[in-house]
Amino acid sequence: MRIGVIDSNINLADSFFFEKRIKVFSLVSGPTSHGTNVLKVLYKIIPQQTEVVVVAILGNENKSSLKLLNEAIKICLSEAVDIINISMGFEKINNSDDCTELKMLCKTSEKHHIQIFSAYTNNLSEISYPANLPNVI
């Protein structure tokens, strides 16, 4: 099994990750705490031999863009992951080309039986994107 994790960079020097099968694509530079913690939690519930593909898109102040999210999903698809975890979301998106592409990528993932799990919300008032898309959990 291969799991894609779209988040921040991770601290591979952390002894927790020794002997783990982790491949990292960094689309941004920035802090490692969020991604490191997400990956540690994930490894508590998955088999230790699971290969994880981390795509870092959260930069300084844990901010990102739909364009980077789309690029990260493309990387996960090209790496043939079975599941994609996105521990973030966007509260507001417009009907831009990036929004259209996000919807298309989520449909493509579903077509290839790749389940996307995404954060529901960060502020309890609205469901964030991509979690509110019909083919994302």
Side-chain angles (χ1 to χ4, degrees):
M1 174 183 286
R2 297 184 87 193
I3 297 177
V5 175
I6 300 173
D7 210 286
S8 72
N9 279 297
I10 61 168
N11 180 6
L12 285 174
D14 188 313
S15 62
F16 181 86
F17 298 122
F18 291 173
E19 299 185 17
K20 304 279 194 291
R21 298 173 56 203
I22 302 171
K23 186 174 185 179
V24 179
F25 295 86
S26 294
L27 302 184
V28 296
S29 61
T32 62
S33 59
H34 194 270
T36 298
N37 291 330
V38 165
L39 200 51
K40 283 181 175 182
V41 169
L42 185 62
Y43 266 113
K44 289 183 179 187
I45 60 172
I46 64 174
Q48 297 301 296
Q49 69 274 15
T50 301
E51 185 174 356
V52 176
V53 176
V54 175
V55 186
I57 68 167
L58 285 177
N60 293 326
E61 300 179 24
N62 283 332
K63 301 226 182 228
S64 193
S65 67
L66 279 181
K67 185 176 194 77
L68 285 172
L69 177 60
N70 291 341
E71 288 307 310
I73 293 172
K74 288 177 193 175
I75 289 170
C76 288
L77 291 172
S78 70
E79 288 292 313
V81 301
D82 301 294
I83 296 170
I84 300 173
N85 177 78
I86 307 169
S87 293
M88 70 182 89
F90 296 88
E91 293 176 10
K92 304 265 189 240
I93 62 173
N94 56 26
N95 288 324
S96 66
D97 291 342
D98 291 332
C99 178
T100 301
E101 185 175 21
L102 174 63
K103 291 175 183 178
M104 185 268 309
L105 288 167
C106 291
K107 285 180 184 177
T108 300
S109 296
E110 180 182 44
K111 179 181 172 186
H112 289 94
H113 307 286
I114 300 168
Q115 186 61 64
I116 298 177
F117 294 86
S118 180
Y120 183 79
T121 187
N122 278 330
N123 71 13
L124 302 178
S125 65
E126 296 181 38
I127 302 172
S128 63
Y129 286 87
N132 67 359
L133 297 176
N135 40 15
V136 175
I137 295 175

